[in-house]
Amino acid sequence: MDPPHLSMPETSCSQSPLYSGLESIILAVKQLCVQIIVLAFQLSKIWKSSVSALTRSNKGNESAKEEPEVQKNVGSLKAEFLKTYGEHYGYPGGKKSIEEIRDTDFRRLNGLVYLDHAGATLYSESQMRAVSEDLTANLYGNPHSQNDSSVASSDIISSARQQVLAYCNASPKEYKCIFTSGATAALKLVGETFPWCTNSIYSYTMENHNSVLGIREYALNQGATTIAVDIENMEQDSRTHLPEIGSTGGQKLKFRSRQRRYKQIFQDEMSTSDAYHLFAFPSECNFSGTKFDLELVKMIQEGRHVDSMASVCTPRGRWMVLLDAAKGCGTQPPDLSKFPADFVCLSFYKIFGYPTGLGALLVRTDAAQTLQKSYFGGGTVAASIADIDFVRKRESIEQWFEDGTVPFLSVAALRHGFEVINQLGISNIAR
């Protein structure tokens, strides 16, 4: 006989009314907790915002109280400054005062004080507007092409060369302006092409840019002698026992020990009297701000130091001068009609801030004839043949030394930079 069958309800525990009620309560509690957390977060934000606003208000009130006093002190200090230096402050005869220039052309400073003009000077807003309007209104093409746009570029480049020469008071008959990628590239060009020989001497001042010192590698690799020179004021005591090689004005030159990389195994065919020597110095030191006497140019070219230098090396031959004017041109360009250096390098962004990546080498026409350039590229030649050793270089000195296409759009921007300099007055800047 089978046991009695006990039937059970088919509803499971999860479906019981009691469990469903508990689940609803738990869900409601969770939602309430979430709402409480959100509310607490919002209250926290409101509290922080209120505290911050109150703090700013208090600071504002304090600043408002202090501002008149600060302005009073600044005004007093400025009045005292102008009383002492007023005749040398600003740009006499200019269209705007320094305050107006700062407010209209250098608004990006926004209360800042910029002091790194030795590294790069600042371009003005009016200058950049003029550049933008020029490039958007005119069509400039590759100057090596043959069309109207290329002719426009060639004209701009030719005009820019004249402006650069005029800036340094250099006669177009005596000097040529070669555009480079910067002052360093200009110095490198001189080092690469200078007619070094084992009888040559490369002399340079102790205070010099690293790029000037780098020329030493070309000289030493060709067997030349290099000598570093100290320039001191005549009134200073001689702290070193270095032989004096000459003096000019209130300065005297003293040279250090000579350097040679290789022993002279054979003598150059070029006689000592025909050797070319190079003396390099800056018009103004990029690091110390020292301005050098440009009478050094004439002194070296005339060989007034030669007799005293004989105890260290044989300095007979033709002495040429390389003037690094990259820093000096920003405030006082060299007058090449008075101090006719053979090579002068400069950088435009250090004069008026823009464009960067563009410089120039000003070279005396007779000095350019001594440079020995082998490589040619781009528009430096009039004709060349691939399977025959034939090349005809361009007659223009500038074109022969400017490998590739000149950055003509950057060159087009130069006139707008010079316009800023002309408005301020270079004599005012030099003060």
Side-chain angles (χ1 to χ4, degrees):
M1 186 173 177
D2 294 330
H5 178 70
L6 299 176
S7 61
M8 296 293 292
E10 294 180 1
T11 306
S12 66
C13 290
S14 61
Q15 293 173 333
S16 67
L18 178 61
Y19 187 84
S20 296
L22 288 173
E23 189 178 47
S24 298
I25 293 171
I26 292 172
L27 182 60
V29 170
K30 286 182 177 179
Q31 291 177 342
L32 180 61
C33 288
V34 171
Q35 291 176 354
I36 291 173
I37 292 172
V38 171
L39 181 62
F41 179 73
Q42 291 176 341
L43 289 172
S44 174
K45 287 180 67 177
I46 293 172
W47 171 256
K48 289 181 179 178
S49 178
S50 300
V51 171
S52 178
L54 182 61
T55 303
R56 286 196 302 269
S57 177
N58 290 336
K59 287 183 177 179
N61 292 335
E62 292 175 3
S63 298
K65 294 177 182 178
E66 294 175 358
E67 188 173 350
E69 187 64 28
V70 171
Q71 290 181 344
K72 181 179 179 181
N73 291 337
V74 171
S76 176
L77 290 172
K78 185 175 181 179
E80 185 177 344
F81 172 83
L82 291 176
K83 183 178 180 181
T84 306
Y85 303 103
E87 62 178 312
H88 302 293
Y89 182 70
Y91 303 97
K95 296 180 180 180
K96 299 178 182 178
S97 66
I98 287 184
E99 289 76 12
E100 290 173 324
I101 292 173
R102 186 183 177 93
D103 291 341
T104 57
D105 267 338
F106 299 95
R107 290 175 294 181
R108 63 189 183 278
L109 289 176
N110 193 25
L112 299 175
V113 177
Y114 184 86
L115 299 176
D116 191 26
H117 289 274
T121 197
L122 299 176
Y123 54 81
S124 68
E125 292 179 28
S126 59
Q127 174 188 353
M128 298 310 295
R129 282 195 299 271
V131 171
S132 178
E133 291 171 2
D134 185 0
L135 297 185
T136 53
N138 297 292
L139 182 61
Y140 298 118
N142 191 317
H144 294 155
S145 300
Q146 298 293 326
N147 54 62
D148 290 344
S149 64
S150 65
V151 171
S153 294
S154 296
D155 290 343
I156 282 290
I157 292 171
S158 178
S159 176
R161 295 191 205 277
Q162 301 306 313
Q163 281 188 296
V164 176
L165 292 176
Y167 186 66
C168 295
N169 199 20
S171 168
K173 293 182 179 180
E174 296 180 1
Y175 281 90
K176 301 301 177 184
C177 172
I178 300 169
F179 286 119
T180 64
S181 63
T184 294
L187 293 166
K188 184 171 181 284
L189 180 59
V190 175
E192 285 178 335
T193 60
F194 194 81
W196 305 108
C197 69
T198 55
N199 294 323
S200 294
I201 300 169
Y202 176 47
S203 188
Y204 48 87
T205 55
M206 287 293 293
E207 286 189 79
N208 244 319
H209 195 282
N210 195 43
S211 299
V212 174
L213 188 60
I215 295 176
R216 181 177 63 187
E217 295 301 301
Y218 292 109
L220 291 174
N221 284 338
Q222 293 298 319
T225 300
T226 65
I227 306 174
V229 176
D230 286 301
I231 298 182
E232 300 175 353
N233 292 328
M234 295 292 283
E235 57 268 18
Q236 293 178 344
D237 55 20
S238 74
R239 291 165 287 180
T240 58
H241 299 288
L242 300 172
E244 184 176 328
I245 64 169
S247 62
T248 172
Q251 300 179 92
K252 60 182 179 181
L253 282 66
K254 297 182 178 181
F255 61 83
R256 299 184 176 234
S257 59
R258 69 176 184 172
Q259 303 172 64
R260 272 203 110 142
R261 184 159 290 170
Y262 309 113
K263 290 183 178 180
Q264 189 171 350
I265 300 175
F266 58 90
Q267 186 74 19
D268 272 324
E269 292 182 2
M270 181 182 294
S271 66
T272 304
S273 60
D274 293 331
Y276 287 95
H277 313 299
L278 186 64
F279 185 92
F281 74 100
S283 59
E284 182 177 348
C285 178
N286 200 62
F287 176 74
S288 67
T290 301
K291 291 187 177 182
F292 289 83
D293 189 346
L294 295 187
E295 284 290 342
L296 275 170
V297 173
K298 293 181 179 180
M299 171 189 169
I300 299 299
Q301 289 175 334
E302 294 171 2
R304 282 184 263 151
H305 61 298
V306 168
D307 291 340
S308 300
M309 203 176 185
S311 60
V312 176
C313 55
T314 306
R316 293 191 301 275
R318 179 180 174 182
W319 278 88
M320 308 179 84
V321 176
L322 168 59
L323 180 64
D324 177 9
K327 173 64 173 66
C329 268
T331 55
Q332 193 170 8
D335 185 343
L336 297 182
S337 67
K338 295 180 179 178
F339 311 106
D342 299 280
F343 311 101
V344 182
C345 71
L346 48 89
S347 180
F348 296 109
Y349 76 91
K350 292 197 175 186
I351 302 174
F352 33 70
Y354 182 88
T356 58
L358 182 63
L361 173 66
L362 307 188
V363 56
R364 285 179 59 91
T365 304
D366 59 339
Q369 304 304 325
T370 67
L371 299 181
Q372 301 170 348
K373 184 174 182 287
S374 300
Y375 176 81
F376 65 88
T380 58
V381 295
S384 62
I385 301 177
D387 59 346
I388 300 177
D389 183 13
F390 172 81
V391 60
R392 178 177 295 172
K393 68 179 183 179
R394 291 187 182 274
E395 295 180 1
S396 165
I397 292 174
E398 302 96 327
Q399 291 178 324
W400 172 239
F401 284 96
E402 291 172 347
D403 293 323
T405 302
V406 171
F408 53 93
L409 296 182
S410 293
V411 172
L414 292 181
R415 60 174 174 163
H416 304 294
F418 281 117
E419 178 61 26
V420 172
I421 298 298
N422 292 335
Q423 288 177 1
L424 298 177
I426 190 61
S427 59
N428 290 330
I429 296 173
R431 294 186 308 126

